[in-house]
mmCIF file of all heavy atoms in Angstrom:
data_model
loop_
_atom_site.group_PDB
_atom_site.id
_atom_site.type_symbol
_atom_site.label_atom_id
_atom_site.label_comp_id
_atom_site.label_asym_id
_atom_site.label_seq_id
_atom_site.Cartn_x
_atom_site.Cartn_y
_atom_site.Cartn_z
ATOM 1 N N GLU A 1074 101.411 131.214 188.296
ATOM 2 C CA GLU A 1074 102.054 132.135 187.354
ATOM 3 C C GLU A 1074 103.274 132.735 188.035
ATOM 4 O O GLU A 1074 103.188 133.218 189.167
ATOM 5 C CB GLU A 1074 101.091 133.259 186.938
ATOM 6 C CG GLU A 1074 101.783 134.295 186.024
ATOM 7 C CD GLU A 1074 100.860 135.429 185.563
ATOM 8 O OE1 GLU A 1074 99.687 135.484 185.976
ATOM 9 O OE2 GLU A 1074 101.347 136.267 184.771
ATOM 10 N N LEU A 1076 105.914 135.590 188.616
ATOM 11 C CA LEU A 1076 105.925 137.047 188.464
ATOM 12 C C LEU A 1076 107.231 137.575 189.060
ATOM 13 O O LEU A 1076 107.543 137.303 190.219
ATOM 14 C CB LEU A 1076 104.703 137.658 189.154
ATOM 15 C CG LEU A 1076 103.359 137.256 188.503
ATOM 16 C CD1 LEU A 1076 102.209 137.332 189.486
ATOM 17 C CD2 LEU A 1076 103.082 138.127 187.269
ATOM 18 N N ASN A 1132 105.641 134.643 181.924
ATOM 19 C CA ASN A 1132 105.358 135.760 181.019
ATOM 20 C C ASN A 1132 106.510 135.981 180.048
ATOM 21 O O ASN A 1132 107.666 135.946 180.428
ATOM 22 C CB ASN A 1132 105.147 137.044 181.830
ATOM 23 C CG ASN A 1132 103.870 136.997 182.637
ATOM 24 O OD1 ASN A 1132 102.782 137.156 182.097
ATOM 25 N ND2 ASN A 1132 103.994 136.739 183.940
ATOM 26 N N GLU A 1164 102.902 132.903 178.639
ATOM 27 C CA GLU A 1164 101.870 133.930 178.502
ATOM 28 C C GLU A 1164 102.378 135.052 177.607
ATOM 29 O O GLU A 1164 103.444 135.614 177.853
ATOM 30 C CB GLU A 1164 101.478 134.485 179.889
ATOM 31 C CG GLU A 1164 100.845 133.435 180.782
ATOM 32 C CD GLU A 1164 100.170 134.016 182.029
ATOM 33 O OE1 GLU A 1164 100.183 135.240 182.212
ATOM 34 O OE2 GLU A 1164 99.624 133.211 182.809
ATOM 35 N N VAL A 1165 101.607 135.341 176.573
ATOM 36 C CA VAL A 1165 101.971 136.432 175.660
ATOM 37 C C VAL A 1165 100.793 137.409 175.579
ATOM 38 O O VAL A 1165 99.658 137.033 175.859
ATOM 39 C CB VAL A 1165 102.315 135.909 174.242
ATOM 40 C CG1 VAL A 1165 103.488 134.945 174.281
ATOM 41 C CG2 VAL A 1165 101.112 135.226 173.593
ATOM 42 N N THR A 1166 101.062 138.642 175.197
ATOM 43 C CA THR A 1166 99.976 139.625 175.101
ATOM 44 C C THR A 1166 99.600 139.860 173.636
ATOM 45 O O THR A 1166 100.384 139.581 172.731
ATOM 46 C CB THR A 1166 100.369 140.972 175.727
ATOM 47 O OG1 THR A 1166 101.488 141.486 175.015
ATOM 48 C CG2 THR A 1166 100.713 140.819 177.194
ATOM 49 N N MET A 1193 96.958 133.605 175.907
ATOM 50 C CA MET A 1193 96.821 135.013 175.529
ATOM 51 C C MET A 1193 96.500 135.781 176.801
ATOM 52 O O MET A 1193 95.438 135.569 177.402
ATOM 53 C CB MET A 1193 95.696 135.140 174.504
ATOM 54 C CG MET A 1193 95.262 136.549 174.223
ATOM 55 S SD MET A 1193 96.441 137.444 173.233
ATOM 56 C CE MET A 1193 95.869 136.979 171.610
ATOM 57 N N ASP A 1194 97.443 136.627 177.203
ATOM 58 C CA ASP A 1194 97.326 137.371 178.462
ATOM 59 C C ASP A 1194 96.560 138.676 178.239
ATOM 60 O O ASP A 1194 96.514 139.184 177.111
ATOM 61 C CB ASP A 1194 98.748 137.694 178.945
ATOM 62 C CG ASP A 1194 98.837 137.949 180.438
ATOM 63 O OD1 ASP A 1194 97.790 137.970 181.110
ATOM 64 O OD2 ASP A 1194 99.965 138.119 180.923
ATOM 65 N N ASP A 1195 95.982 139.207 179.296
ATOM 66 C CA ASP A 1195 95.330 140.530 179.268
ATOM 67 C C ASP A 1195 94.319 140.634 178.130
ATOM 68 O O ASP A 1195 94.193 141.703 177.502
ATOM 69 C CB ASP A 1195 96.373 141.651 179.096
ATOM 70 C CG ASP A 1195 97.404 141.666 180.208
ATOM 71 O OD1 ASP A 1195 97.173 141.005 181.223
ATOM 72 O OD2 ASP A 1195 98.425 142.349 180.053
ATOM 73 N N PHE A 1196 93.593 139.561 177.844
ATOM 74 C CA PHE A 1196 92.712 139.576 176.680
ATOM 75 C C PHE A 1196 91.630 140.651 176.805
ATOM 76 O O PHE A 1196 91.006 140.804 177.850
ATOM 77 C CB PHE A 1196 92.056 138.213 176.447
ATOM 78 C CG PHE A 1196 91.163 138.227 175.235
ATOM 79 C CD1 PHE A 1196 91.718 138.273 173.967
ATOM 80 C CD2 PHE A 1196 89.790 138.255 175.364
ATOM 81 C CE1 PHE A 1196 90.917 138.337 172.843
ATOM 82 C CE2 PHE A 1196 88.975 138.317 174.247
ATOM 83 C CZ PHE A 1196 89.534 138.359 172.982
ATOM 84 N N THR A 1198 92.240 143.912 176.067
ATOM 85 C CA THR A 1198 92.824 145.253 176.220
ATOM 86 C C THR A 1198 93.682 145.644 175.023
ATOM 87 O O THR A 1198 94.097 146.785 174.902
ATOM 88 C CB THR A 1198 93.718 145.340 177.474
ATOM 89 O OG1 THR A 1198 94.770 144.381 177.339
ATOM 90 C CG2 THR A 1198 92.916 145.041 178.730
ATOM 91 N N LYS A 1215 93.242 134.530 178.839
ATOM 92 C CA LYS A 1215 93.158 135.161 180.165
ATOM 93 C C LYS A 1215 92.400 136.479 180.048
ATOM 94 O O LYS A 1215 92.860 137.409 179.387
ATOM 95 C CB LYS A 1215 94.560 135.415 180.735
ATOM 96 C CG LYS A 1215 95.323 134.141 181.035
ATOM 97 C CD LYS A 1215 96.596 134.421 181.805
ATOM 98 C CE LYS A 1215 96.323 134.635 183.278
ATOM 99 N NZ LYS A 1215 97.592 134.774 184.049
ATOM 100 N N ILE A 1216 91.239 136.524 180.699
ATOM 101 C CA ILE A 1216 90.438 137.750 180.681
ATOM 102 C C ILE A 1216 91.162 138.801 181.508
ATOM 103 O O ILE A 1216 91.482 138.555 182.670
ATOM 104 C CB ILE A 1216 89.036 137.529 181.298
ATOM 105 C CG1 ILE A 1216 88.356 136.295 180.703
ATOM 106 C CG2 ILE A 1216 88.180 138.773 181.147
ATOM 107 C CD1 ILE A 1216 87.017 135.976 181.376
ATOM 108 N N ASP A 1217 91.400 139.945 180.925
ATOM 109 C CA ASP A 1217 92.122 140.990 181.654
ATOM 110 C C ASP A 1217 91.390 141.373 182.933
ATOM 111 O O ASP A 1217 90.161 141.412 182.981
ATOM 112 C CB ASP A 1217 92.318 142.231 180.787
ATOM 113 C CG ASP A 1217 93.243 143.227 181.465
ATOM 114 O OD1 ASP A 1217 94.451 142.935 181.526
ATOM 115 O OD2 ASP A 1217 92.758 144.271 181.959
ATOM 116 N N ARG A 1218 92.171 141.697 183.949
ATOM 117 C CA ARG A 1218 91.561 141.951 185.251
ATOM 118 C C ARG A 1218 90.676 143.191 185.269
ATOM 119 O O ARG A 1218 89.800 143.315 186.126
ATOM 120 C CB ARG A 1218 92.607 141.992 186.348
ATOM 121 C CG ARG A 1218 93.521 143.180 186.335
ATOM 122 C CD ARG A 1218 94.307 143.200 187.652
ATOM 123 N NE ARG A 1218 95.172 144.361 187.724
ATOM 124 C CZ ARG A 1218 96.458 144.330 187.446
ATOM 125 N NH1 ARG A 1218 97.027 143.200 187.069
ATOM 126 N NH2 ARG A 1218 97.185 145.420 187.541
ATOM 127 N N GLU A 1253 91.593 136.744 185.549
ATOM 128 C CA GLU A 1253 92.622 137.244 186.464
ATOM 129 C C GLU A 1253 92.084 138.417 187.269
ATOM 130 O O GLU A 1253 91.097 139.042 186.894
ATOM 131 C CB GLU A 1253 93.901 137.613 185.712
ATOM 132 C CG GLU A 1253 93.738 138.691 184.678
ATOM 133 C CD GLU A 1253 95.051 139.116 184.018
ATOM 134 O OE1 GLU A 1253 95.971 138.292 183.915
ATOM 135 O OE2 GLU A 1253 95.139 140.280 183.609
ATOM 136 N N GLY A 1254 92.717 138.677 188.410
ATOM 137 C CA GLY A 1254 92.299 139.808 189.242
ATOM 138 C C GLY A 1254 90.991 139.570 189.969
ATOM 139 O O GLY A 1254 90.256 140.509 190.253
ATOM 140 N N GLN A 1273 92.300 133.464 189.106
ATOM 141 C CA GLN A 1273 93.553 133.884 189.694
ATOM 142 C C GLN A 1273 93.271 135.241 190.328
ATOM 143 O O GLN A 1273 92.527 136.033 189.758
ATOM 144 C CB GLN A 1273 94.556 134.044 188.542
ATOM 145 C CG GLN A 1273 96.002 133.951 188.919
ATOM 146 C CD GLN A 1273 96.904 134.198 187.711
ATOM 147 O OE1 GLN A 1273 96.534 133.878 186.579
ATOM 148 N NE2 GLN A 1273 98.058 134.764 187.954
HETATM 149 CA CA1 CA B 1021 97.444 139.473 182.787
#
Side-chain angles (χ1 to χ4, degrees):
E1074 176 179 3
L1076 295 155
N1132 291 284
E1164 296 193 0
V1165 300
T1166 61
M1193 169 74 87
D1194 203 355
D1195 301 346
F1196 181 72
T1198 60
K1215 294 190 80 174
I1216 310 175
D1217 189 72
R1218 70 169 182 261
E1253 61 175 29
Q1273 203 183 329

